[in-house]
């Protein structure tokens, strides 16, 4: 018999998700955890205009604003330097997004003083005290610039796209930009001290030195969005915002080393891996000799945001994939706000607080260890807080408070396909939402592409969960197949290469049941199993532990029949991510039996036999074996399962059948019998809509209205259930804490 794995999960309650604004349980407190907490906030009106000529004549109109504007717009901050005296040097980027529309935007570094809103009050305003203008009066630049024929040669957003900034001890600034990408060195007055330093590893399409027929290696606007400096200022660490065009690993970002003494790149580089291809590196800050903080973000805003994170890097350490090791420091979509700072300023300003802006582009560690974060608002385009209103520029100070985790819950909370009650299932958005809601595990269903890449989809037929029907180039792939004895018509993952599948976007599977989820249709990629595992292992649940992953192999007999076995690549992924061990935060599940027996020989990871309410495992059906799921949950059947698995995932009706009137009936002995042979018992699927609930837990007559999910879950926990699969992890956590 395989040794039973008992995993003690500190499933936090709703209160825990809002720590430290909620009291921590005094009875048997958990371990110390870090709870990022908003301590101060200040904003600058999006419509603020600094002195200078009009700007934005060619800016794209948005949110009721159109240029030209009678002064210089401040479109947020892409980089900030702490001046050490309560003021900041804050730098916008090139203005309005491109060379073509930013020639009237002057590149400046603003000197600002936040008048913080704190728990004690405060104006919460950013005061602009002055600025220095970037300029080239000494003709260091040898390519055409907008103000080439003037004495000061003021630099504009058509000349450079400045994005990152560090300050030297002599008061000069080094600036990373994206059109080259170049490194710029200016003195304390903004005067360019030397020629722009080109990047030896590639050019962007906007690079003025790009030769005829030369292929840019760096995508547009994917240069040095982020740059850190060593403590003594000798070395700079610019980071490419995106992957090189010719890199087969599009999640790779390159960290380079530049020596300010020799004015040369040293040739030393490191590789950083983003959570998904489309994510970008938004800023960096050095905290030690080779220790950095970096922002990783997506390009979504408001409720659609998925990744707005700060990771700590150690350039001297590699993770299991060979990239620099990254550790989560801050999820900017979940910041405790016990003092309700900024309350009423729009989406994300409650408790918890979030910074759901598109361009989260500044992180600075202050002298006292707190983090300063800020946004580029891409004026007038971004409206993350209030629809139709341009985002203000905001600066927030985050304290990384140490608190005790709440009292442990004995019940494991499993985010079923993520938090599929709130976001389209099997997307990183769904999984990340489940993590923020304190799920202990996230659950991807696993199928294969034509070229053997494991991806997360509920079924291999994807017509109902992606926008494939809107892609005429794939119309010929629509077909009819027999899957597990059932005829199915549609599009199938095994007929698509991974590259083709990545061009599709997810959509809500149950639009009539969850119409709110359709607002996210067409936004999110189909994630690979590797991406889901990486998200989990780079995340921390409310109990301070690494988030677990709970993959299910879908239709393994069918995939074997088409030469795309799921088991070997799944085990390879577990091994590659350090999860092929008995105590790993992972369960592998299947509705079939044969592949679990095979997996028991291939991996040390815990296994779970899924049991449906009716029918039989398809591998048994295909082999002519007459056993059904009902046979598997007899006392003798469970004893057989315990020989190859560590737990069972039971349909709810197997544990507590429904009566003829739809209410919960008398519990069976299956939970007790499973425990007697050392099996964990997890139940599925707990959903909040009336149509999925027993009659006594429904509220009203609308089948899609929200009922009493907590009441149902508590009824099952009362008979000894060890874990719950739920589309609504927040409600499951609250019910079991």
């Amino acid at each position: 018999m395989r040794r039973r794995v008992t995993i003690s999960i500190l499933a936090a309650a709703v209160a825990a998700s809002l720590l430290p604004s909620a009291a921590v349980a005094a009875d048997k407190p958990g371990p110390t955890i870090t709870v990022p907490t908003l301590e101060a906030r200040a904003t600058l009106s999006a419509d603020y205009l600094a002195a200078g000529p009009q700007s934005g004549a060619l800016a794209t109109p948005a949110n009721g604003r159109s240029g030209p504007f009678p002064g210089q717009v401040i479109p947020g901050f892409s980089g900030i330097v702490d001046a050490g005296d309560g003021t900041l040097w804050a730098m916008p980027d090139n203005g309005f997004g491109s060379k073509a529309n930013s020639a009237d935007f002057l590149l400046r570094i603003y000197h600002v003083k936040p008048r913080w809103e704190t728990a004690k009050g405060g104006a919460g305003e950013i005061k602009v005290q002055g600025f220095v203008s970037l300029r080239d009066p000494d003709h260091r630049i040898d390519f055409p610039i907008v103000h080439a024929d003037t004495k000061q040669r003021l630099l504009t957003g058509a000349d450079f796209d400045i994005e990152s900034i560090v300050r030297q001890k002599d008061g000069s600034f080094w600036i990373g930009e994206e059109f080259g990408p170049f490194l710029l060195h200016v003195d304390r007055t903004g005067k360019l001290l030397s020629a722009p330093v080109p990047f030896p590893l590639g050019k962007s399409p906007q690079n003025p030195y790009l030769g005829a027929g030369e292929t840019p290696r760096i995508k547009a606007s994917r240069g040095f969005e982020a740059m850190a400096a060593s403590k003594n200022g000798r070395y700079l660490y610019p980071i490419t915002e995106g992957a090189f065009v010719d890199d087969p690993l599009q999640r790779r970002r390159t960290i380079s080393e530049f020596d300010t003494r020799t004015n040369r790149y040293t040739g030393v580089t490191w590789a950083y891996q983003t959570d998904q291809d489309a994510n970008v590196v938004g800023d960096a800050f050095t905290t030690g000799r080779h220790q950095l903080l970096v922002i990783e973000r997506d390009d979504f805003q408001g409720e659609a945001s998925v990744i707005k994170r700060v990771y700590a890097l150690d350039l001297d350490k590699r993770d299991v994939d060979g990239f620099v090791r990254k550790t989560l420091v801050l999820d900017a979509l979940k910041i405790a706000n016990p003092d309700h700072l900024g309350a009423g300023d729009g989406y994300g300003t409650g408790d918890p607080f979030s910074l759901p802006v598109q361009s989260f582009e500044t992180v600075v560690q202050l002298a006292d260890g707190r983090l300063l974060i800020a946004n580029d608002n891409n004026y007038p385009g971004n409206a993350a807080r209030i629809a139709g209103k341009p985002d203000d520029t905001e600066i927030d100070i985050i304290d990384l408070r140490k608190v005790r985790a709440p009292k442990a819950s004995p019940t494991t909370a499993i985010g079923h396909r993520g938090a599929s009650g709130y976001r389209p299932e099997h997307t990183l958005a769904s999984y990340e939402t489940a993590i923020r809601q304190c799920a202990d595990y996230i659950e991807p269903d696993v199928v294969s592409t034509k070229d053997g890449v494991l991806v997360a989809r509920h079924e291999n037929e994807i017509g109902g969960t992606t926008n494939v029907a809107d892609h005429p180039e794939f119309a010929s792939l629509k077909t009819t197949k027999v899957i597990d004895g059932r005829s199915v018509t549609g599009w199938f993952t095994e007929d698509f290469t991974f590259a083709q599948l990545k061009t599709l976007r997810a959509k809500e599977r149950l639009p009539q049941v969850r119409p709110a989820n359709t607002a996210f249709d067409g936004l999110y990629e189909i994630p690979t199993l590797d991406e889901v595992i990486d998200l989990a292992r780079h995340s921390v649940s409310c109990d301070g532990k690494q988030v677990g992953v709970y993959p299910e192999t879908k239709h393994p007999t069918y995939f074997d029949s088409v030469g795309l076995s799921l088991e070997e690549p799944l085990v390879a992924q577990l091994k590659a991510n350090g999860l092929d061990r008995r105590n790993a935060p992972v369960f592998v599940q299947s509705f079939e039996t044969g592949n679990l027996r095979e997996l028991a020989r291939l991996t040390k990871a815990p296994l779970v036999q899924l049991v449906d309410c009716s029918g039989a495992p398809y591998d048994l059906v295909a082999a002519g074996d007459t056993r059904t799921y009902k046979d598997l949950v007899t006392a003798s059947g469970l004893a057989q399962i315990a020989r190859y698995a560590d737990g069972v995932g039971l349909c709810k009706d197997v544990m507590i059948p429904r009566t003829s009137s739809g209410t919960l009936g008398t519990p069976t002995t299956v939970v007790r019998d499973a425990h007697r042979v050392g099996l964990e018992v997890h139940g599925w699927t707990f959903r909040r809509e009336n149509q999925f609930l027993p009659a006594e837990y429904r509220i009203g007559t609308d089948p899609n209205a929200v009922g009493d999910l907590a009441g149902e879950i508590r009824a099952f926990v009362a008979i000894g259930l060890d874990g719950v699969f739920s589309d609504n992890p927040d409600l499951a956590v609250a019910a079991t804490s």
Side-chain angles (χ1 to χ4, degrees), residues 199-494:
F199 184 42
L201 298 183
K203 300 173 185 174
S204 84
Q206 297 94 346
N207 190 300
Y209 302 120
L210 192 70
E214 183 179 1
T215 301
R217 193 167 183 235
I218 295 174
K219 300 172 186 176
S221 295
R222 288 296 182 257
F224 297 147
E225 186 78 50
M227 182 174 67
S230 61
K231 292 294 185 180
N232 63 6
R234 176 169 180 178
Y235 295 105
L236 305 180
Y237 300 100
I239 307 174
T240 54
E241 184 179 13
F244 292 126
V245 172
D246 57 355
D247 194 335
L249 299 178
Q250 286 294 294
R251 292 170 63 191
R252 177 160 43 208
R253 308 292 179 262
T254 300
I255 304 171
S256 299
E257 184 178 68
F258 178 82
D259 189 336
T260 61
R261 291 186 187 175
T262 63
N263 217 42
R264 295 175 183 272
Y265 284 89
T266 67
V268 177
T269 62
W270 297 265
Y272 172 89
Q273 186 180 46
T274 56
D275 294 329
Q276 264 194 322
D277 289 358
N279 287 359
V280 300
V281 176
D283 196 19
F285 187 88
T286 303
T287 59
R289 179 179 177 274
H290 271 171
Q291 287 74 47
L292 278 66
L293 297 176
V294 300
I295 290 174
E296 181 177 335
R297 65 168 179 85
D298 56 32
D299 265 331
F300 300 117
Q301 64 176 341
E303 286 188 298
S305 297
V306 181
I307 300 295
K308 311 291 182 185
R309 293 184 165 196
V310 176
Y311 287 112
L313 305 188
D314 189 329
L315 300 184
D316 295 326
K317 296 181 179 179
R318 302 289 186 270
D319 68 9
V320 293
D321 290 327
F323 295 93
V324 292
R325 184 181 298 175
K326 68 181 189 181
T327 303
L328 182 64
V329 172
L330 169 68
D331 183 346
L333 299 180
K334 185 179 179 182
I335 300 169
N337 187 16
D339 301 313
H340 302 280
L341 306 182
D345 280 359
Y347 176 79
T349 57
D351 185 12
F353 178 90
S354 70
L355 187 65
V357 295
Q358 178 188 13
S359 297
F360 170 26
E361 291 191 359
T362 294
V363 62
V364 174
Q365 186 180 63
L366 302 176
D368 59 11
R370 295 181 302 168
L371 301 185
L372 180 151
I373 61 176
N375 70 311
D376 169 4
N377 64 21
N378 297 304
Y379 185 84
N382 290 168
R385 295 288 192 200
I386 300 173
K389 178 183 180 298
D391 284 331
D392 291 337
T393 301
E394 78 178 79
I395 304 176
D396 305 309
I397 293 181
I398 312 300
D399 181 45
L400 302 178
R401 293 185 183 177
K402 300 291 185 181
V403 303
R404 286 286 185 180
K407 183 180 178 181
S409 166
T411 309
T412 302
I414 305 152
H416 185 241
R417 308 172 194 169
S420 51
Y422 308 106
R423 298 291 187 273
E425 65 187 31
H426 295 310
T427 59
L428 285 199
S430 183
Y431 298 128
E432 214 276 342
T433 300
I435 292 167
R436 294 203 308 271
Q437 293 182 350
C438 298
D440 301 304
Y441 285 77
I442 53 177
E443 186 231 12
D445 294 333
V446 178
V447 295
S448 180
T449 65
K450 183 178 183 178
D451 44 353
V453 178
L454 298 186
V455 295
R457 287 290 87 193
H458 174 50
E459 295 288 344
N460 54 328
E461 198 291 302
I462 55 174
T465 61
T466 73
N467 62 355
V468 63
D470 299 330
H471 285 253
E473 68 272 25
F474 298 135
S476 63
L477 294 181
K478 187 175 184 180
T479 187
T480 299
K481 298 186 179 188
V482 177
I483 310 294
D484 292 0
R486 185 171 63 93
S487 180
V488 181
T489 298
W491 290 266
F492 298 85
T493 60
E494 64 271 22

Side-chain angles (χ1 to χ4, degrees), residues 505-520:
R505 294 296 179 266
K507 69 177 185 180
E508 172 56 36
R509 186 174 63 91
L510 303 171
Q512 300 305 315
V513 179
R514 295 165 178 167
N517 283 10
T518 63
F520 308 101

Side-chain angles (χ1 to χ4, degrees), residues 611-617 620 625-641 654 670:
V611 175
D612 209 339
C613 292
S614 61
L620 299 184
D625 191 319
T626 60
R627 285 178 294 163
T628 65
Y629 284 118
K630 185 176 181 179
D631 296 316
L632 295 188
V633 293
T634 62
S636 61
L638 290 166
Q640 288 297 315
I641 290 173
V654 172
V670 65

